[in-house]
Amino acid sequence: MSITLRGLCAALILCATTSQAHAWWWFGKDKSYADTRYPIVLVGGIIAFDDIAGIDYFYGIADDMRDYGAEVYESNVSALQSNEYRGEELIVQIENYLAVTGAEKVNLIAHSQGSPTSRYVAAVRPDLIASVTSVHGENRGTAVADVIRGVVPEGSITEGLANSIGNAFGALWESLSGGPNPGDQSTRDVLAASTTEGLAAFNQRYPQAMPTSACGTSGQHTVNGVRY
C-alpha cells in the first residue's frame, strides 16, 4: 500500500471516528440523563451563597443539571459559621424544599465546608437525606486554617479583632446574597471548625461513613439509610 493510500485510509478512519464522537452532541444529549429519584440540593462552603449580582456560586452547574432532567435547589447557609450552625439552617431549607416538591428526601452535593455541614444534617436528620456527595470536601480540616490558628491564637486580642472584621464582612456578604442570618456570623467558630483538630473532634461526633485514612474507604457506604 502506498504512503498516499495509507494516509487516505487513516484520514477516513479518523473522520468516521470523529463523526461518531460528535454525533452525540449533534443530535443533543439525553434530556433526562440527570434525572434523579429525589431532588438535588447543592451546599456551598465558607462564604457560600446562591448568587450575588448574577454571579452563581456553582457557576451554572445547577442550570445545566436542570436542562437535563434534574430538580436542583441551591442552598444559602451562613457564610461564616460552624458546621452545626450551618447544618441547622440547611435543615430548615431542606424542609421547605420538601414541602414545595412533595418529595420525601433530597440528595446533597456539597463543596468544601458544605461537606461537613451536610454530614451533620445526615447524621441528625437521616430521614430527610437520601445521599451525601462530598466534592473537595473539608472533611479533615485544612492546612490554611491550622496556619491561621497558629498566627491568631484562641482567646487572643488578635483573634477578637479578626473576628470583628470577619463578622462585618460576613454580614455584608449575607445581606448581598439574601442569606438566612446576616447579622449572626462567627469568624471565630468557622476557624475553629476548619482546623485539623476541629474536624477531628467533629468526626468523632459524626463519624458516619468517614474513612480511617484520607484515601481509604470506611466500608460503610450506607448509614442509617443515607448513601455516602
Side-chain angles (χ1 to χ4, degrees):
M1 184 183 291
S2 67
I3 294 177
T4 302
L5 186 55
R6 287 176 185 270
L8 178 59
C9 289
L12 289 172
I13 293 171
L14 177 61
C15 182
T17 304
T18 304
S19 296
Q20 290 177 354
H22 284 275
W24 181 62
W25 293 102
W26 180 263
F27 293 107
K29 287 189 282 188
D30 177 2
K31 291 297 184 179
S32 63
Y33 90 94
D35 189 15
T36 54
R37 180 179 178 183
Y38 301 110
I40 294 170
V41 177
L42 302 179
V43 186
I46 296 173
I47 66 168
F49 58 96
D50 46 7
D51 67 85
I52 295 178
I55 300 173
D56 183 6
Y57 179 92
F58 283 97
Y59 202 67
I61 291 173
D63 286 339
D64 189 72
M65 293 170 73
R66 292 185 188 110
D67 287 342
Y68 295 99
E71 185 171 11
V72 185
Y73 296 89
E74 297 175 77
S75 64
N76 190 2
V77 295
S78 286
L80 300 170
Q81 265 294 354
S82 68
N83 298 317
E84 290 90 339
Y85 188 102
R86 299 169 93 240
E88 289 297 324
E89 292 177 326
L90 183 57
I91 287 172
V92 173
Q93 293 178 33
I94 290 171
E95 289 175 334
N96 289 336
Y97 300 145
L98 295 180
V100 170
T101 63
E104 297 177 356
K105 299 181 179 183
V106 298
N107 299 295
L108 298 179
I109 300 180
H111 167 248
S112 188
Q113 194 195 2
S115 296
T117 298
S118 296
R119 288 173 46 221
Y120 167 81
V121 173
V124 301
R125 290 297 307 273
D127 57 304
L128 301 179
I129 310 302
S131 69
V132 176
T133 301
S134 172
V135 181
H136 199 260
E138 184 185 280
N139 292 304
R140 296 182 182 279
T142 69
V144 172
D146 290 342
V147 169
I148 294 174
R149 174 51 80 202
V151 176
V152 184
E154 185 176 2
S156 66
I157 295 176
T158 305
E159 184 192 49
L161 178 61
N163 188 59
S164 297
I165 295 172
N167 292 354
F169 167 78
L172 175 61
W173 195 257
E174 284 298 287
S175 296
L176 292 173
S177 68
N181 298 297
D184 197 7
Q185 306 297 307
S186 179
T187 306
R188 180 185 290 112
D189 286 349
V190 73
L191 176 60
S194 300
T195 61
T196 302
E197 182 180 2
L199 259 297
F202 177 87
N203 291 336
Q204 286 185 336
R205 296 192 297 272
Y206 312 105
Q208 287 82 352
M210 273 295 293
T212 55
S213 61
C215 295
T217 175
S218 68
Q220 289 183 295
H221 302 297
T222 303
V223 182
N224 293 331
V226 180
R227 290 186 61 82
Y228 291 85

